[in-house]
Amino acid sequence: KEETELPLLPTAFDVTIKSDHRGTCRGTHVVQACVGYCESSAFPSKYSVLLASSFKHNVTSVSQCCTISKMQKIKVRLHCGAIHREEIEIFTAKSCQCDMCRLSRY
Amino acid sequence: LEASTINLHTFIGCAVREFTFLARKPGCKGMRITTDACWGRCETWEKPVLDPPYVNAHHRVCTYNETKLVTVKLPNCAADVDPSYTYPMAIRCDCGVCATATTECETV
């Protein structure tokens, strides 16, 4: 369990979007990501865990990770040469929280 | 981790910390053991990306980097039960991937 929650604030970064490999259309926009410090711990596994894993999992890790809890769509205007313009929608983080880690990709 | 000198509410990083657990197995009496384990707060992030699944995650957790196996003898075991109980003790802890081959990776 969390002893406290350190602030998890959306953090801004720039994305540049190109419509194809040659970059015929392109645009830049500020997008929010979630960055934060959530509690995690690792300790010797209980006997039931040892048994269930044929004594392979002798350590148990209990963790939370900083995740995007709310996403929002924003419109980005792309410039294609001097006259032509296009608009696409991309996601940005609206709020963040300590939640489940993405086990498969951690 | 010296709790007296470090504020656990604001600690950032991954450190060795004392942990007490009940070592038990069928046929023996349990034994309370205090050992070195890992605890902390690692930097984790998620950012939106243009292509599916639309989120890129960097989820590292505080886990064992270097361990030593310690074997103790549990008390009051039945005659046909091996009293030895082996558990890992943390020598070094680090923010890293949860290795599913050696670790029960639980996320809450």
Side-chain angles (χ1 to χ4, degrees):
Chain A
K1 284 275 165 228
E2 284 281 307
E3 296 198 4
T4 185
E5 270 195 27
L6 295 174
L8 300 169
L9 296 172
T11 307
F13 69 100
D14 283 334
V15 281
T16 298
I17 299 144
K18 295 176 191 171
S19 65
D20 56 38
H21 292 298
R22 282 179 295 170
T24 314
C25 301
R26 58 191 299 164
T28 302
H29 206 282
V30 175
V31 165
Q32 307 281 337
C34 289
V35 184
Y37 298 87
C38 306
E39 218 175 296
S40 55
S41 59
F43 44 83
S45 295
K46 287 192 289 188
Y47 192 73
S48 56
V49 171
L50 291 174
L51 262 188
S53 68
S54 310
F55 292 86
K56 282 180 188 145
H57 295 175
N58 66 351
V59 170
T60 296
S61 153
V62 176
S63 311
Q64 283 200 320
C65 292
C66 183
T67 64
I68 298 174
S69 49
K70 270 189 201 146
M71 295 254 259
Q72 194 175 30
K73 273 185 182 171
I74 48 167
K75 287 188 171 125
V76 179
R77 189 170 285 176
L78 303 181
H79 299 271
C80 320
I83 309 157
H84 181 60
R85 279 178 187 175
E86 269 179 31
E87 213 170 52
I88 66 156
E89 280 191 328
I90 60 169
F91 285 110
T92 188
K94 206 178 170 200
S95 60
C96 311
Q97 68 178 32
C98 287
D99 205 342
M100 280 177 63
C101 298
R102 285 173 184 257
L103 284 162
S104 56
R105 304 165 78 207
Y106 322 166
Chain B
L1 250 186
E2 288 294 326
S4 54
T5 55
I6 294 171
N7 184 349
L8 295 180
H9 295 279
T10 55
F11 176 78
I12 284 177
C14 175
V16 173
R17 186 178 176 184
E18 232 175 48
F19 176 82
T20 301
F21 70 105
L22 185 67
R24 54 188 294 198
K25 67 177 185 181
C28 296
K29 200 162 184 281
M31 185 162 97
R32 204 159 274 283
I33 294 174
T34 298
T35 186
D36 286 339
C38 302
W39 178 86
R41 292 187 187 89
C42 298
E43 186 184 88
T44 49
W45 53 255
E46 275 191 356
K47 67 172 183 185
V49 289
L50 296 177
D51 301 310
Y54 303 110
V55 171
N56 196 353
H58 176 86
H59 285 168
R60 299 279 187 271
V61 298
C62 182
T63 191
Y64 291 48
N65 181 287
E66 196 184 333
T67 56
K68 193 176 105 177
L69 290 178
V70 180
T71 302
V72 292
K73 279 197 161 64
L74 296 184
N76 302 338
C77 294
D80 58 338
V81 174
D82 175 12
S84 59
Y85 188 96
T86 302
Y87 63 89
M89 184 180 106
I91 305 290
R92 213 151 51 87
C93 302
D94 258 324
C95 294
V97 292
C98 191
T100 49
T102 57
T103 308
E104 185 77 7
C105 303
E106 291 178 11
T107 180
V108 284

